C-alpha cells in the first residue's frame, strides 16, 4: 500500500518529520490509537510510518540532515494559515482550545452537550476560523477534569533515556530491553530498584506505537 502524500514532493510521513519533533508525533499517534474515520486511520498510519523512519534516521545518525531536507520541500503556508500560526504562537488560540476542551475533555455532561449542539448546528466542520471566531470568543469557559493532566505520551519526560536505549540496542551494546534499561539507569546518580523496570516498560510502549 502506497504512503499517503502531503504533496508531489513529500509523503505525509516525511511532512510530519519535517514539521514536528518525534515526541510530538508520538503524542499524536498515542492519542489516536483507535481511529474512528478513514481520515483518522490514514493519519495514524502516516504517524507510525514517520516514527519508524525516525528510528532508522536516528540510528543512522542522519536524522537532522534528512529533517532539514524534508523541511525545505514543504510548501509555504497560505496567508490565512500563516496568520493562524502566528495567532497560535502569540497565545491567541485560546478560544479554539476552549472549544476543544468543551467537546472532548469536559467532565460536565450538560455543558458538553451544549458545546456539541453548537458545533453541530453551527456546522463548524465546514467553516473557516475567521467565520466562527466571533462565536468562539463568546463561549462560556469549558470545565476541565480535576487533578493533574496526564502526560502524553507517558515517556515525554524521559526522551533522553529513550534515545539512549534505542541507540544502545541498535549498536549491540545491549541486546535486550531490560539490559538497555539497566545500563541507562546506571548512569543516574540515584536509582531506585524499580527504575530499570519503569524505563523498560516505557520503552516497550514507545516501540509498540511503530507497529
Amino acid at each position: 500500500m502506497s504512503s499517503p502524500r502531503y504533496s508531489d514532493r513529500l509523503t505525509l510521513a516525511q511532512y510530519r518529520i519535517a514539521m514536528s519533533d518525534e515526541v510530538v508525533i508520538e503524542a499524536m499517534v498515542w492519542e489516536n490509537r483507535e481511529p474512528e474515520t478513514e481520515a483518522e486511520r490514514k493519519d495514524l498510519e502516516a504517524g507510525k510510518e514517520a516514527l519508524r523512519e525516525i528510528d532508522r534516521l536516528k540510528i543512522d545518525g542522519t536524522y537532522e540532515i534528512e529533517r532539514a531536507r524534508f523541511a525545505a520541500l514543504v510548501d509555504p503556508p497560505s496567508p490565512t494559515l500563516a496568520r493562524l500560526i502566528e495567532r497560535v504562537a502569540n497565545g491567541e488560540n485560546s478560544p479554539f482550545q476552549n472549544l476543544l476542551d468543551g467537546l472532548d475533555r469536559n467532565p460536565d455532561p450538560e455543558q458538553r452537550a451544549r458545546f456539541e449542539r453548537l458545533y453541530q448546528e453551527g456546522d463548524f466542520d465546514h467553516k473557516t476560523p475567521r467565520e466562527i471566531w466571533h462565536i468562539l470568543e463568546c463561549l462560556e469557559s469549558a470545565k476541565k477534569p480535576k487533578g493533574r493532566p496526564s502526560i502524553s505520551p507517558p515517556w515525554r519526560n524521559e526522551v533522553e533515556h529513550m534515545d539512549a536505549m534505542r541507540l544502545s540496542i541498535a549498536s549491540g551494546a545491549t541486546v535486550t530491553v531490560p539490559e538497555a534499561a539497566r545500563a541507562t539507569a546506571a548512569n543516574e546518580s540515584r536509582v531506585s530498584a524499580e527504575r530499570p523496570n519503569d524505563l523498560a516498560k516505557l520503552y516497550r510502549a514507545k516501540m509498540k506505537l511503530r507497529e
Side-chain angles (χ1 to χ4, degrees), residues 118-136:
L118 174 66
Y119 188 89
Q120 296 297 332
E121 294 180 359
D123 196 25
F124 283 11
D125 261 341
H126 301 97
K127 292 185 177 178
T128 66
R130 182 176 184 179
E131 289 176 307
I132 63 174
W133 193 265
H134 66 289
I135 300 175
L136 299 184

Side-chain angles (χ1 to χ4, degrees), residues 2 10 38 41 47 54 73 92 97 107 113 124 127 135 166 168 171-172 179 182 189 193-194 197 202 208:
S2 61
L10 288 173
E38 181 64 15
R41 187 192 65 76
I54 287 173
L73 299 175
E92 297 177 29
Q97 187 59 56
F124 283 11
K127 292 185 177 178
I135 300 175
R166 173 169 49 199
S168 179
S171 68
E179 288 174 348
R182 286 193 294 270
S189 57
E194 297 80 16
N197 289 336
L202 289 174
K208 190 172 180 59

Side-chain angles (χ1 to χ4, degrees), residues 76-133:
S78 67
T80 300
L81 181 57
R83 286 194 295 271
L84 180 57
I85 292 173
E86 184 178 358
R87 283 178 175 176
V88 173
N90 292 333
E92 297 177 29
N93 200 42
S94 55
F96 276 118
Q97 187 59 56
N98 184 56
L99 174 66
L100 295 176
D101 289 342
L103 292 169
D104 299 331
R105 304 177 61 244
N106 199 324
D108 183 337
E110 293 184 359
Q111 189 186 57
R112 184 171 63 251
R114 291 197 295 274
F115 272 79
E116 290 174 349
R117 186 167 59 251
L118 174 66
Y119 188 89
Q120 296 297 332
E121 294 180 359
D123 196 25
F124 283 11
D125 261 341
H126 301 97
K127 292 185 177 178
T128 66
R130 182 176 184 179
E131 289 176 307
I132 63 174
W133 193 265

Side-chain angles (χ1 to χ4, degrees), residues 177-192:
V177 171
E179 288 174 348
R182 286 193 294 270
T184 301
N187 293 323
E188 299 180 349
S189 57
R190 301 176 65 180
V191 182
S192 66

